[in-house]
Amino acid sequence: MKRATRDVLYFETGPDNPPTLHVDLGEEFEVETQMNRGPWLQDHPDREVLEKKIVGGNPSSGCIYVNGAGPGDVLVVHIGPIDVDPIGYTMFRGSNGAMPGWLGGTGVGTVSKVVEISDGLIHWSDTL
């Protein structure tokens, strides 16, 4: 099975991103994703390499080209089973490019959390 890996990461979507994987209509393939930068990197054995590679938010694992698809076509994508890493990470900074001040001045500031993921659950706290 073909696989899009974390070898090439894009931090914006656009026509200048060369395809990193070509698939045929109806072909099954896998996509390996990369987590954003964050405090989870502090103790990671590949920290230096990853900090140089993850240069923006919400990285995309390359660009997938579907052979036979053309402008104006609508593609249906079926998402199969998802395997997750044993750690997860979330962060909120208030006003940013994705949510420019829509939530107003929260006064919360930057909040982040690294969580353990096991047995199909995100372990947010001892009670949740």
Side-chain angles (χ1 to χ4, degrees):
M1 176 183 308
K2 292 180 183 174
R3 185 174 195 203
T5 68
R6 296 180 280 202
D7 292 341
V8 175
L9 298 176
Y10 292 129
F11 298 92
E12 59 184 46
T13 302
D16 295 331
N17 296 352
T20 54
L21 182 68
H22 288 76
V23 298
D24 291 324
L25 290 169
E27 182 176 2
E28 193 171 305
F29 59 94
E30 289 183 351
V31 177
E32 179 182 51
T33 60
Q34 176 62 60
M35 192 164 27
N36 286 340
R37 289 179 74 130
W40 66 273
L41 278 171
Q42 292 172 359
D43 298 323
H44 197 283
D46 298 325
R47 176 183 179 175
E48 289 182 26
V49 172
L50 288 169
E51 284 181 338
K52 289 178 184 173
K53 188 174 185 174
I54 307 170
V55 296
N58 300 320
S60 168
S61 301
C63 177
I64 299 167
Y65 185 93
V66 180
N67 298 319
D73 287 352
V74 175
L75 302 178
V76 175
V77 177
H78 297 276
I79 299 174
I82 298 174
D83 294 325
V84 296
D85 282 340
I87 61 168
Y89 168 67
T90 186
M91 186 171 96
F92 174 74
R93 290 190 296 199
S95 179
N96 58 39
M99 298 171 58
W102 293 347
L103 298 179
T106 63
V108 173
T110 299
V111 178
S112 66
K113 186 164 184 76
V114 177
V115 294
E116 175 192 346
I117 302 172
S118 63
D119 303 320
L121 299 171
I122 298 170
H123 301 278
W124 191 263
S125 69
D126 291 339
T127 58
L128 181 61

